[in-house]
Amino acid sequence: MNQLDVLSQPGAAENNPVLNISIFLAFVIVTLVIVFRASRNNRSAADYYAAGRSFTGPQNGFAISGDYLSAASFLGIVGAIAVNGYDGFLYSIGFLVAWLVALLLVAELMRNTGKFTMADVLAFRLKQRPVRLAAATTTLAVCFFYLLAQMAGAGGLVSLLIGIDSELGQSLVVAVVGAVMIVYVLVGGMKGTTWVQIIKAILLISGVAAMTLWVLALYGFNFSAVLGDAVARSVSDPPEAILAPGLQYGAMPIDFISLALALVLGTAELPHVLMRFYTVPTAKEARRSVVWAIWLIGIFYLFTLVLGYGAAALVGSDTISAAPGGVNSAAPLLALELGGPLLLGFISAVAFATILAVVAGLTITAAASFAHDIYSNVVKKGKSDPDAEVKIARRTVIFIGIASIIGGIGVQGQNIAFLVALAFAVAASANLPTILYSLFWSRFSTRGAVWSMYGGLGTAVVLIALSPVVSGNETAMLGAAVDFAIFPLKNPGIISIPVGFLLGWLGSVTSPVKEDPRIAAEMEVRSLTGHGAEKAVEH
Amino acid sequence: MEQNTTHAVDYPGVQQSEKFTRLRRRHRSFVVPVSIAFLAWYFLYVLLGAYAHDLMAQPVLGNINVGVVLGLGQFVTTFAITMAYVSYANRRLDPLAAELRDDLEQIEAQAAADSTAGSARTTTGTTGTAAGSAGAAGTETAEGRESQ
């Protein structure tokens, strides 16, 4: 039975779009009910942005996993392992190890010194307006890149999972995804968004766990036998090549090193990840939430290793590459092979839920940054009342939602997967140096922070614009006709991260203004003791 | 910035105090070497993956090769460091941090009591407006809550 035919014919017996859509609608309805219930207590800014700081560590750990495990890491990594073998696994490891940066260096200290956004931490001892503006700029840039990549991915998933190939149909689905997301974030605020992420994480991880056990059971719980079958069906030359590194990144190893740097250093500073640390009552709960997230995310990537090689063994990498959606179809095809249309429907619905939860997390982060940092502290100079700020945040949600729908429709069919890697590179180049310097280096100054953030962001974006992902070949965004790709790598991290650190240092040592050492002392004392940290809202 | 207003607490003094320097030393003596170690181990693995293809392809057990073993090793070390840090923080960091926090709260409560006793000045400045605003938001919402 040829799986390819099944997926490419929407009316075919096995892939049942009506079933897929029904399961997804059930998810939307259940989560909407929960979001409306959760919204009853949304009154203050702390309620809206930080869910009243009322989530427990384990709950937040699930929400972090739900926020972080995007469709790219589920469908993308299973597919990358199925088609490119070991290099897909190599790629997935950076996404896990990165959480140690969050655990050891960022989560607790951020929780103790900030309120809602990354800029709060920097503004503690540096000059309010310039650092808030810079931090909001990098936050909005990362959210925008990530959001656009997610929305573009949604269109591709539609043709793969629901069998809608027409451009109009795909645009309609992108619009529906955007509209549901706006409702979640507008009504539910951070509390509603968090519950959506928790539910999605439970569904995703249990679905993937069931498939993993199923694959292993077929091979008598012998992982080596799975690998053996994957080699037997491999179309690479030699077939064993899928068990060793080199198939995907072999041609340009330095590019992979650059990507690995951005992944491991950028994850903990993604703005939607940082904001999750404020939804718990104390630094200790922030630590517990990262611990839960590390276990959940780690186990998830172990499952994807089995699923990737399982898809190569049971479906075949040639079938996967030829299917609509290419590598992204590996997990859905494996689900169909194992459990028929019902399991495929479940996995498809989970993939959609994944996109919804991730875009919701990004949108509330961007809205909080705009309303809290730019509107309230830069435009109104800290004199706006909290109600007005939340009102601005809600309007920003609508604006971002509509913009991401239009953007998502606009980039249909374009190859913009590089935007995800760019988001990590910007987070590592612009956010990591400033966060580490302001937490650990007392001489860090406003000028250093501003230089580092704009410099890291600018370097990463300019290098990407001059790279082979934008121009100069057939797979580039602009095609082969235009060629201004003078930077050879697809990942700017190896240059832009050192630039960010260097500018932060240079700006600080050349700064004519010395920051107040008393405030630096206060920040250090608070960051380690948790004294004066934002408390949970009593309900 | 609201957090940076009037202080009852002499933060530079606290920063120099024996108790706080002990807490900072304990924190850094774990966090810094462990961070360097896990990043070095990760980049060793990445470099092997990028350049030492033949070594990574060496079989160890059946079809499981050096690459898979080293990759799974990254998971093992990540989980191990996580558990080690939690245990270290619970034993060595949290009790000391809680002690310092209590000391600081006492100083602030004392100063607040002094200033109300001395004059009719408001106490909001001394209790720290950051915590104050969260508390105000809490009382605002508490009265109107119906169910949860």
Side-chain angles (χ1 to χ4, degrees), chain A residues 159-476:
Chain A
S159 70
L160 170 66
L161 303 174
I162 318 185
I164 300 176
D165 286 325
S166 77
E167 206 161 300
L168 181 70
Q170 292 194 15
S171 304
L172 205 65
V173 175
V174 169
V176 170
V177 167
V180 174
M181 181 276 284
I182 292 174
V183 174
Y184 281 154
V185 181
L186 206 56
V187 175
M190 186 51 115
K191 205 174 280 173
T193 305
T194 305
W195 280 114
V196 172
Q197 288 163 345
I198 291 174
I199 296 166
K200 171 233 145 167
I202 292 171
L203 289 177
L204 176 65
I205 293 171
S206 46
V208 168
M211 283 175 68
T212 304
L213 286 175
W214 201 324
V215 168
L216 286 174
L218 289 177
Y219 287 92
F221 291 93
N222 180 352
F223 182 56
S224 177
V226 181
L227 296 180
D229 244 22
V231 171
R233 280 191 83 159
S234 164
V235 288
S236 53
D237 178 39
E240 307 83 70
I242 60 163
L243 300 184
L247 278 182
Q248 192 173 3
Y249 305 116
M252 195 65 131
I254 193 85
D255 209 0
F256 176 69
I257 293 168
S258 184
L259 173 64
L261 261 171
L263 292 184
V264 81
L265 298 177
T267 294
E269 294 75 33
L270 290 172
H272 60 300
V273 167
L274 290 177
M275 199 160 168
R276 290 235 54 90
F277 301 141
Y278 296 122
T279 64
V280 290
T282 59
K284 192 170 171 139
E285 288 300 305
R287 181 196 307 149
R288 280 181 78 202
S289 56
V290 180
V291 170
W292 274 81
I294 286 177
W295 282 104
L296 292 169
I297 292 166
I299 289 168
F300 176 84
Y301 286 126
L302 286 175
F303 289 157
T304 60
L305 173 67
V306 177
L307 291 187
Y309 281 119
L314 296 167
V315 182
S317 58
D318 46 343
T319 312
I320 292 165
S321 304
V327 291
N328 281 339
S329 65
L333 285 176
L334 180 65
L336 184 62
E337 173 77 31
L338 292 172
L342 198 64
L343 188 58
L344 174 65
F346 179 75
I347 291 300
S348 305
V350 168
F352 264 105
T354 289
I355 290 189
L356 262 181
V358 175
V359 293
L362 288 165
T363 301
I364 195 162
T365 306
S369 178
F370 182 80
H372 182 64
D373 296 328
I374 293 185
Y375 170 77
S376 188
N377 283 298
V378 176
V379 178
K380 293 282 175 180
K381 300 177 185 168
K383 291 188 178 63
S384 80
D385 74 295
D387 289 346
E389 189 186 308
V390 172
K391 199 181 276 173
I392 293 288
R394 288 178 194 263
R395 285 184 194 157
T396 315
V397 168
I398 299 176
F399 174 79
I400 294 170
I402 292 172
S404 64
I405 292 171
I406 295 170
I409 292 171
V411 296
Q412 289 298 313
Q414 301 243 34
N415 187 2
I416 55 160
F418 70 88
L419 284 178
V420 173
L422 177 60
F424 279 85
V426 171
S429 317
N431 295 356
L432 177 72
T434 16
I435 290 176
L436 288 189
Y437 281 140
S438 69
L439 290 172
F440 291 100
W441 187 34
S442 62
R443 287 184 55 202
F444 190 48
S445 75
T446 302
R447 181 193 270 186
V450 169
W451 283 13
S452 161
M453 282 189 279
Y454 288 125
L457 171 69
T459 311
V461 171
V462 167
L463 289 180
I464 273 286
L466 299 177
S467 81
V469 297
V470 171
S471 71
N473 60 71
E474 309 84 64
T475 57

Side-chain angles (χ1 to χ4, degrees), chain A residues 459-519:
Chain A
T459 311
V461 171
V462 167
L463 289 180
I464 273 286
L466 299 177
S467 81
V469 297
V470 171
S471 71
N473 60 71
E474 309 84 64
T475 57
M477 193 177 83
L478 301 175
V482 263
D483 187 356
F484 48 87
I486 51 172
F487 181 66
L489 305 181
K490 296 174 177 174
N491 293 286
I494 201 162
I495 308 281
S496 62
I497 297 169
V499 166
F501 274 101
L502 193 71
L503 287 175
W505 170 80
L506 196 68
S508 298
V509 295
T510 62
S511 175
V513 190
K514 293 283 169 263
E515 310 294 337
D516 187 343
R518 282 171 309 170
I519 301 175

